[in-house]
Amino acid sequence: MKKLLSLSLLFLVLFSSSAEAAKKKAVQQSDREYWCEQAYKMAQPVLENMAKGELQKNMKTEYSPSFDNRNRKVVYMETFGRLMAGLAPWLALPDSVFGTSPAEVKERDMVRQLRQWALDSYRNSVDPASPDYLVWGASGQNLVDAAYIAESFIRAYDALWVPLDDVTKERYITEFKKLRKYEPPYTNWFLFSSTIESFIAKAAGLKEYDDFRVMMTIRKVEEWYVGDGWYADGPVFAFDYYSSYVFHAMYLETLQNMIDAKQNGTRLEYRKYYDRALKRAQKFAIILERFISPEGTFPVFGRSSTYRMAALQPLALMAWYQKLPKELSNGQVRAALTATMHRMYDQQNNYNDGGFLTIGFCGSQPDMADWYTNNGSLYMTSLSLMPLGLPANHDFWTCPAEPWTQVKAWGGQPFPKDHRWADDIQTKDRW
């Protein structure tokens, strides 16, 4: 098979008059350099401002035309928490993994700067004396975005949690516990509680977490599994991307936290639950990869479509975990995600004139917003960037680009058949 430097751009030429210019740039820029460029562009205005305590002063905010009456300052926690959940794997890379090439030196400097800004931002977000102290406990929405902050600590524990001073750590645990006053709706929100509580168990010890919020979530998520990698968002199935936005990642992380915390005193065998959930996530990754068209687009359906590439989170997560199923190669997943990123970010302007993400799916499309959407919500798109947590010399980045499934299928090439996956791990209570 012919080696392709930038497979994605072969398809963009059909859709953009600027494709030739983009193609010329890609010849000089590797896929990883392009990903780093997008990650830094997204993160810099948020973290540089927040590190100085100036995010709430300088962020150009946007709200849904139908935004409800909740405290509008939730926008800042949404921005910070969701951005950091996607950025954390990249910032967890130690300086020692970077080589001496100009591209790697540039990336190392980006990571160092963003990491320092992030650590300062974490401190400011729980410091009542900071202008960027977040509105903890002002709205049930805080439960959602505190979970994404906890998720960022889970994904970069040694790089982003361990270096924080003791006062800041104690403040986080205190703020997380206060959110217990919010009763989560009978939906994916259960996972926001379990992510926070399981992180408390890992970071502060088993005596500090609310076991029931974790146990109940696991029971309910299992009840809501409908097969072939899909979860219902509550008792009734909804055809949307919440299996991507929330279920797979936060369920795996909840279970892993309980394993890390060495919680062996409950009825559940967390390792078996984790292994089964991982297989489900692998199946869902196969589905998501098949959603990506030869042109680098994917179907837009369901609510919260303004979360953009967060719809592909499980595919990115499996790549970062190095747990892609045998049906998917690193080369085809990288090529597919890169093509989608080019299609999303090169063709339309997704940022407002303040440098912050604007409401829309591909460009500014404010009517796409749901009643709970502000432009902080949109930073969930960073979740697709997790493979940056693999170093530049990893096979994910160094192997040749390969055609993904829809390229093969629509190009007359052989492609793998797909069949239903059934659970093969049983989880009986210990007693």
Side-chain angles (χ1 to χ4, degrees):
M1 182 180 295
K2 183 180 179 181
K3 293 184 178 180
L4 301 176
L5 178 61
S6 186
L7 182 66
S8 60
L9 292 177
L10 294 178
F11 307 100
L12 294 179
V13 71
L14 300 174
F15 294 88
S16 173
S17 60
S18 62
E20 283 304 316
K23 190 173 181 179
K24 289 178 181 178
K25 182 178 180 181
V27 171
Q28 304 168 357
Q29 186 182 47
S30 69
D31 286 347
R32 186 177 179 92
E33 288 174 296
Y34 177 75
W35 284 49
C36 291
E37 179 183 273
Q38 298 306 313
Y40 192 84
K41 179 179 181 179
M42 193 179 299
Q44 177 265 325
V46 176
L47 297 183
E48 184 175 12
N49 274 293
M50 195 167 182
K52 296 183 290 187
E54 295 180 355
L55 181 65
Q56 298 187 37
K57 172 186 173 185
N58 294 332
M59 181 176 177
K60 183 172 181 179
T61 57
E62 299 178 21
Y63 297 88
S64 166
S66 58
F67 199 71
D68 64 10
N69 61 357
R70 73 187 69 186
N71 189 325
R72 291 198 166 207
K73 284 192 173 183
V74 297
V75 62
Y76 305 112
M77 184 180 281
E78 292 191 42
T79 301
F80 180 60
R82 297 175 188 214
L83 171 68
M84 290 310 304
L87 209 63
W90 191 31
L91 303 193
L93 287 176
D95 289 352
S96 60
V97 306
F98 295 102
T100 57
S101 69
E104 290 195 69
V105 170
K106 180 181 179 181
E107 182 185 347
R108 181 202 64 198
D109 292 344
M110 283 183 180
V111 170
R112 280 180 177 173
Q113 181 64 83
L114 290 173
R115 189 191 302 124
Q116 186 57 58
W117 283 338
L119 291 170
D120 291 340
S121 298
Y122 281 122
R123 296 185 187 98
N124 286 337
S125 73
V126 288
D127 181 359
S130 171
D132 275 341
Y133 175 66
L134 299 176
V135 285
W136 295 89
S139 164
Q141 179 64 37
N142 295 143
L143 180 63
V144 178
D145 298 298
Y148 284 103
I149 293 176
E151 190 173 47
S152 72
F153 290 141
I154 294 164
R155 292 175 174 177
Y157 192 83
D158 291 338
L160 299 180
W161 175 256
V162 171
L164 294 175
D165 59 273
D166 290 342
V167 171
T168 299
K169 289 178 181 176
E170 184 177 345
R171 284 172 172 168
Y172 267 107
I173 298 300
T174 298
E175 297 287 10
F176 286 151
K177 287 180 177 179
K178 287 180 181 178
L179 295 172
R180 291 169 181 167
K181 68 182 180 181
Y182 295 115
E183 178 185 354
Y186 203 53
T187 65
N188 67 89
W189 280 49
F190 273 34
L191 281 155
F192 302 135
S193 288
S194 72
T195 299
I196 291 169
E197 294 297 337
S198 64
F199 173 72
I200 292 173
K202 176 177 179 174
L206 294 175
K207 293 182 179 179
E208 301 298 322
Y209 89 112
D210 185 338
D211 173 64
F212 184 76
R213 288 174 182 260
V214 175
M215 292 279 285
M216 179 57 71
T217 297
I218 293 171
R219 300 288 194 193
K220 287 302 171 185
V221 169
E222 289 299 329
E223 287 179 14
W224 296 340
Y225 183 65
V226 296
D228 246 3
W230 290 91
Y231 289 96
D233 190 8
V236 179
F237 179 75
F239 189 55
D240 57 30
Y241 282 111
Y242 273 78
S243 289
S244 287
Y245 301 148
V246 182
F247 275 95
H248 282 290
M250 287 193 170
Y251 191 36
L252 283 168
E253 287 159 340
T254 292
L255 294 167
Q256 185 63 59
N257 283 340
M258 300 314 298
I259 295 168
D260 292 347
K262 297 180 171 56
Q263 174 53 289
N264 299 311
T266 73
R267 293 178 182 271
L268 306 185
E269 292 186 72
Y270 294 109
R271 173 52 64 184
K272 283 189 175 182
Y273 277 87
Y274 180 91
D275 290 344
R276 184 169 64 189
L278 179 64
K279 287 189 174 184
R280 294 172 180 173
Q282 290 173 322
K283 170 58 178 176
F284 201 65
I286 290 173
I287 292 171
L288 292 174
E289 190 270 351
R290 284 175 176 254
F291 275 178
I292 300 173
S293 76
E295 298 78 32
T297 62
F298 59 86
V300 184
F301 56 83
R303 60 201 173 95
S304 302
S305 59
T306 55
Y307 296 168
R308 294 180 169 89
M309 287 188 65
L312 303 177
Q313 177 183 203
L315 183 58
L317 185 72
M318 291 300 99
W320 175 48
Y321 279 0
Q322 303 176 66
K323 296 291 184 181
L324 287 171
K326 59 181 175 56
E327 291 84 353
L328 301 178
S329 70
N330 280 322
Q332 76 186 86
V333 172
R334 188 189 80 239
L337 288 173
T338 303
T340 308
M341 206 172 292
H342 276 295
R343 189 67 182 86
M344 177 71 71
Y345 298 120
D346 295 356
Q347 308 305 303
Q348 303 291 340
N349 182 13
N350 291 275
Y351 294 87
N352 61 33
D353 57 15
F356 300 93
L357 284 172
T358 190
I359 293 177
F361 173 76
C362 186
S364 178
Q365 300 156 305
D367 289 340
M368 291 296 300
D370 294 290
W371 52 268
Y372 46 79
T373 307
N374 58 66
N375 66 325
S377 314
L378 318 180
Y379 283 85
M380 203 183 289
T381 191
S382 70
L383 300 176
S384 64
L385 296 168
M386 285 185 286
L388 282 173
L390 300 170
N393 62 359
H394 189 276
D395 182 69
F396 182 85
W397 299 108
T398 61
C399 69
E402 298 175 29
W404 53 98
T405 302
Q406 298 303 329
V407 173
K408 295 175 182 176
W410 289 95
Q413 302 175 40
F415 65 97
K417 293 185 289 186
D418 186 40
H419 298 282
R420 184 179 73 87
W421 279 27
D423 287 335
D424 59 358
I425 298 175
Q426 300 300 313
T427 51
K428 296 181 180 179
D429 284 4
R430 285 196 175 103
W431 66 85

